[in-house]
Amino acid sequence: MLKGFKNFLMRGDVIVIAVGLVTALAFSTLIKAFTDYIINPIVARFQGRDSPGLGWQLGEEGNNATYLDIGQFISALIYFLVFLAVVYFLIVVPYKHYQARRGVTVFGEPGPVKTCPACLAEDIPEAATKCRYCTSQQPPASAHA
């Protein structure tokens, strides 16, 4: 049992995923600091001098629980977009390039699909002989076109 666990841990996929996760967490911390200390003050400035941020007070003045903070939402949206851009350009693009040099296509365009005549599922691979949802027989790819 321990030998199987060791083999699982030493697979290349697990190591790649672990490195990617650690890298993503490090970038997440960096980008969170960017949005908290650079973007949030800029967004809050648009509301005005005495306001806690860009938004509206829905209840009693000074009650943070009823403050609709649009600035924090904008900040979270910017954080999300910057984080995904960093992950894409610093992890996905180099990984695609590395795998292409090895002759492996990753993150490519999906293959052609067909619609199952029985259940109308639209994402059945064109070469499939059975539907993955209702298991009905599929016509051959050449007859479907």
Side-chain angles (χ1 to χ4, degrees), residues 71-124:
Q72 287 295 331
F73 177 74
I74 292 170
S75 176
L77 184 63
I78 291 169
Y79 170 84
F80 177 73
L81 294 174
V82 170
F83 183 76
L84 287 184
V86 167
V87 167
Y88 180 76
F89 289 111
L90 295 181
I91 296 175
V92 173
V93 171
Y95 182 70
K96 282 174 62 173
H97 179 70
Y98 171 74
Q99 291 293 67
R101 289 179 47 189
R102 296 179 58 213
V104 178
T105 303
V106 293
F107 303 117
E109 291 294 320
V113 294
K114 62 184 174 184
T115 301
C116 174
C119 71
L120 302 177
E122 297 179 344
D123 62 341
I124 309 300

Side-chain angles (χ1 to χ4, degrees), residues 110-116 121-133 138-141 144:
V113 294
K114 62 184 174 184
T115 301
C116 174
E122 297 179 344
D123 62 341
I124 309 300
E126 196 167 294
T129 58
K130 279 190 160 188
C131 175
R132 72 175 83 179
Y133 303 107
Q138 298 294 306
H144 183 70

Side-chain angles (χ1 to χ4, degrees), residues 1-142:
M1 184 166 76
L2 288 178
K3 183 178 181 183
F5 184 67
K6 177 185 169 197
N7 289 340
F8 168 73
L9 287 179
M10 296 312 290
R11 287 183 41 207
D13 295 343
V14 174
I15 302 300
V16 168
I17 291 170
V19 169
L21 181 61
V22 168
T23 305
L25 289 173
F27 281 125
S28 174
T29 302
L30 179 65
I31 295 166
K32 181 74 171 133
F34 172 75
T35 55
D36 285 348
Y37 301 115
I38 304 295
I39 301 298
N40 285 355
I42 293 170
V43 171
R45 181 65 183 118
F46 284 109
Q47 179 68 24
R49 207 176 256 200
D50 298 331
S51 176
L54 181 60
W56 298 274
Q57 184 69 50
L58 299 177
E60 182 180 318
E61 191 68 34
N63 184 356
N64 288 339
T66 59
Y67 185 74
L68 185 64
D69 197 347
I70 303 299
Q72 287 295 331
F73 177 74
I74 292 170
S75 176
L77 184 63
I78 291 169
Y79 170 84
F80 177 73
L81 294 174
V82 170
F83 183 76
L84 287 184
V86 167
V87 167
Y88 180 76
F89 289 111
L90 295 181
I91 296 175
V92 173
V93 171
Y95 182 70
K96 282 174 62 173
H97 179 70
Y98 171 74
Q99 291 293 67
R101 289 179 47 189
R102 296 179 58 213
V104 178
T105 303
V106 293
F107 303 117
E109 291 294 320
V113 294
K114 62 184 174 184
T115 301
C116 174
C119 71
L120 302 177
E122 297 179 344
D123 62 341
I124 309 300
E126 196 167 294
T129 58
K130 279 190 160 188
C131 175
R132 72 175 83 179
Y133 303 107
C134 67
T135 67
S136 65
Q137 288 295 106
Q138 298 294 306
S142 59

